[in-house]
Amino acid sequence: MKKRWLALAGVALLGTAGYFAFEANKFRLPGLVQDWRDPVQPNRPVVWQAGPATAPDGTRPPNIILIVADDLGYNDISLNGGGIAGGIVKTPNIDALARDGANFTTAYAANATCSPSRAAMMTGRYPTRFGFEFTAVPVEFAENLAHGGGVGPHRTIFHDELITPDIPAYADMGVPAAEVTIAEAVKAAGYRTLHIGKWHLGEAAALQPQAQGFDESLAVLGGAAMFMAEDDPGVVNAKLPWDPIDRFIWANLRHAVTFNGSPRFQPKGHMTDYFADQAIAAIKANRNRPFFLYLAFNAPHTPLQATKADYDRLPQIKDEKTRVYGAMVAQMDRRIGDVMATLKQQGIDDNTLVIFTSDNGGAWYNGIDRLNAPFRGWKATFFEGGIRTPLLMRWPSQIAPGTRRADTTGHIDLFATIAGAAGAAVPADRTIDSEDILAGPAKRTALFWRSGDYRAVREGDWKLQLTKRPEQARLYNLAVDPTEQRDLSSSDPQRVARLRALIAAQNKDMAKPIWPGLIEGPVRIDVPLTTPWREGQDYVYWTN
């Protein structure tokens, strides 16, 4: 009998240990499941379908290249008088786009996180119009963020009560097929449509780029990927142990891409170099026909991984993570320069519209200060630091060098602007929020943002933010206070009421989210995640 009880106790002990081991490691399941379903294959050649051998006679529509950086801070480019590490890292090639073209100095991301912003770029509509309110993430990812997360007394909230059978699978979280993408619009006007880089707008076959208007797509379908293998002898890694997002990435993501829906395979070298090399190859293949290229770098989003060569160029930066981050930005800038040089080499520079932007502001969880200086706020806030973004356009035959535009615009206007340049039709069977800003300043009177209970509007020079956690209205006059230092809500309640009414009216036309925001997490406005908590620090809760 005693042996029997000992055996049962041993089984129970093993079962308990197994349970706790599973709980401790279940956040790794998404990566393991994907490895089983779609194992990463060795590198394979990518061949871009070639256009005509010679250019057609007469004039032709312009080529259009939309370059999007990932989590690039407003202060990460030297154009704005800044640059990483107090200006040590220069971005001469990005800066040249403004010098040789137009700098839209009051441009906004459509959202403060990546995939809703990209949904707006692709459709020309507020993503909340069609239920794309939150960044697409696996449920396991949201649960991992919630465990032990938060700052000081403000803990991350996980809404497990919202997990229902109606939640779409992660692969189905994307831009609905019924939406018209800019790729579909310009393709109908005779363009060859190409996508290289991050997608994050749906991984199911019906939502992938090649099903949404792109003739060819070399993609990271999800929100991030490894830039190189962690143990590559040519990589320098900077892990962020304080950040649950970073821990999830290192545990689950792979150094892998897919071409036109193929099984995953390893890219050659660092992802930024690989995407730039492939963009150059795609441009050469299509130089004799009009093309639209959406080049979506995943830098400088985490994981922080630089080539050793780029890292070695910045010995004056002593903080390791900042040095790696700076090396990633410098590398992306250099490779954008290579893309621009290719346009000149192919003789199509004058007739190519190049647009550069970032999906949102720099991230607080990197632990690097002043990424969005001089503005307050970070990615995942509607402060200027989270949503003010570079927007540069270069088109030598049409845009005068050194053009500066201060009118309010942003991602929402890219659809109509690209369609206008291409001579493509804008859908007439639905509300389109986009306006062609190369035809003149947008005529709208206000821009709106929404993520759960967090709302914001900018009308003219006035901006109102509304949060539930904390329950607060913040009113700023950006004409005299562009960095949002002085909250005027208590001294101007009538303006607060009117802007509240604008938000309420706009929300009536928005759709129910296709999937819920499962987590609410605190983001401090003025300090990165690594800064110790102090009573009185300003914060908002961000829903995703």
Side-chain angles (χ1 to χ4, degrees):
M1 180 65 74
K2 185 176 180 180
K3 289 183 179 180
R4 183 180 178 185
W5 281 111
L6 286 172
L8 288 173
V11 170
L13 184 62
L14 289 172
T16 301
Y19 169 79
F20 283 111
F22 173 78
E23 286 296 309
N25 289 281
K26 67 179 181 181
F27 74 96
R28 301 177 184 271
L29 280 178
L32 295 173
V33 169
Q34 191 175 24
D35 287 344
W36 176 71
R37 290 178 175 170
D38 186 14
V40 179
Q41 306 294 326
N43 178 258
R44 46 160 283 194
V46 169
V47 179
W48 299 93
Q49 184 175 323
T54 58
D57 294 332
T59 59
R60 60 180 247 192
N63 309 302
I64 302 169
I65 302 177
L66 172 60
I67 303 175
V68 179
D70 198 355
D71 287 4
L72 185 76
Y74 187 87
N75 194 42
D76 285 348
I77 60 176
S78 46
L79 170 70
N80 299 317
I84 298 162
I88 290 174
V89 180
K90 305 298 183 184
T91 53
N93 295 290
I94 295 172
D95 299 353
L97 297 176
R99 184 190 66 232
D100 299 340
N103 180 6
F104 293 83
T105 60
T106 314
Y108 286 94
N111 192 273
T113 57
C114 47
S115 52
S117 274
R118 294 163 192 270
M121 293 184 216
M122 289 295 103
T123 64
R125 285 154 53 86
Y126 286 111
T128 44
R129 282 201 186 279
F130 49 92
F132 202 127
E133 186 157 347
F134 307 112
T135 288
V137 296
V139 171
E140 297 87 351
F141 176 84
E143 189 174 8
N144 175 61
L145 288 189
H147 286 167
V151 290
H154 308 295
R155 310 318 297 164
T156 301
I157 301 165
F158 181 62
H159 291 285
D160 56 357
E161 75 278 6
L162 298 179
I163 300 177
T164 69
D166 297 332
I167 294 181
Y170 169 63
D172 294 318
M173 295 179 180
V175 172
E179 292 297 315
V180 177
T181 70
I182 187 58
E184 290 170 320
V186 299
K187 184 175 181 176
Y191 274 70
R192 185 70 178 177
T193 53
L194 313 164
H195 165 255
I196 296 174
K198 178 172 172 174
W199 181 240
H200 209 186
L201 297 175
E203 297 188 20
L207 304 179
Q208 290 183 18
Q210 64 274 11
Q212 296 276 43
F214 287 96
D215 292 309
E216 296 176 277
S217 170
L218 179 66
V220 169
L221 291 174
M226 304 303 292
F227 290 89
M228 299 177 76
E230 182 178 352
D231 59 354
D232 190 297
V235 72
V236 178
N237 303 310
K239 294 187 178 181
L240 312 177
W242 55 83
D243 175 32
I245 296 174
D246 197 62
R247 294 197 298 269
F248 187 92
I249 285 173
W250 287 95
N252 289 280
L253 301 191
R254 307 294 182 252
H255 184 226
V257 293
T258 177
F259 186 54
N260 296 336
S262 72
R264 294 187 300 167
F265 61 92
Q266 292 176 347
K268 182 180 179 181
H270 193 282
M271 194 74 80
T272 298
D273 286 331
Y274 182 69
F275 286 156
D277 289 341
Q278 292 299 326
I280 289 168
I283 290 168
K284 290 178 178 178
N286 290 278
R287 65 189 180 277
N288 290 324
R289 60 182 169 188
F291 64 84
F292 167 59
L293 169 60
Y294 173 34
L295 175 54
F297 289 106
N298 55 328
H301 193 295
T302 49
L304 299 186
Q305 293 184 290
T307 66
K308 190 173 186 304
D310 284 301
Y311 176 87
D312 288 344
R313 293 188 181 102
L314 297 172
Q316 64 272 54
I317 300 178
K318 302 307 178 186
D319 179 71
E320 183 75 359
K321 62 184 180 300
T322 305
R323 184 174 174 180
V324 172
Y325 183 90
M328 293 169 71
V329 172
Q331 175 193 27
M332 180 173 64
D333 177 80
R334 184 179 67 254
R335 297 317 312 268
I336 288 173
D338 293 339
V339 170
M340 299 304 297
T342 299
L343 296 176
K344 291 184 178 181
Q345 292 162 4
Q346 299 300 311
I348 55 177
D349 176 63
D350 281 351
N351 197 36
T352 300
L353 168 61
V354 177
I355 304 170
F356 174 83
T357 191
S358 176
D359 57 352
N360 46 251
W364 80 102
Y365 49 74
N366 286 346
I368 304 172
D369 203 6
R370 296 185 59 77
L371 293 181
N372 302 309
F375 301 115
R376 301 178 69 202
W378 307 89
K379 173 183 179 178
T381 79
F382 292 144
F383 280 80
E384 296 289 283
I387 54 178
R388 278 287 279 270
T389 186
L391 180 59
L392 314 175
M393 296 189 188
R394 181 185 183 276
W395 187 3
S397 67
Q398 300 294 324
I399 300 175
T403 298
R404 288 178 66 86
R405 292 267 299 272
D407 44 299
T408 304
T409 182
H411 292 163
I412 205 72
D413 290 326
L414 293 180
F415 185 104
T417 301
I418 292 170
V426 173
D429 62 344
R430 65 199 68 199
T431 299
I432 297 294
D433 301 296
S434 188
E435 299 186 43
D436 181 357
I437 56 174
L438 287 181
K443 296 178 176 63
R444 76 172 68 82
T445 58
L447 282 175
F448 296 89
W449 297 268
R450 183 178 96 179
S451 186
D453 291 327
Y454 190 6
R455 316 284 169 86
V457 61
R458 174 169 178 166
E459 184 191 39
D461 292 325
W462 290 89
K463 180 177 171 187
L464 179 70
Q465 297 188 56
L466 301 175
T467 56
K468 287 289 186 182
R469 291 187 178 87
E471 187 80 37
Q472 191 172 345
R474 296 175 171 91
L475 177 69
Y476 303 99
N477 181 352
L478 298 178
V480 297
D481 181 23
T483 59
E484 297 172 292
Q485 303 292 331
R486 296 181 294 280
D487 177 7
L488 302 176
S489 58
S490 60
S491 61
D492 198 347
Q494 290 183 324
R495 194 180 302 273
V496 170
R498 197 172 65 75
L499 293 177
R500 277 185 184 272
L502 275 182
I503 290 174
Q506 197 254 3
N507 275 327
K508 288 180 181 178
D509 294 331
M510 300 300 108
K512 177 183 176 183
I514 302 173
W515 58 90
L518 293 178
I519 54 174
E520 292 181 71
V523 182
R524 287 173 290 172
I525 306 305
D526 299 306
V527 295
L529 183 57
T530 48
T531 302
W533 165 259
R534 292 186 180 88
E535 193 64 35
Q537 288 176 336
D538 201 1
Y539 70 97
V540 297
Y541 266 73
W542 179 261
T543 302
N544 193 79

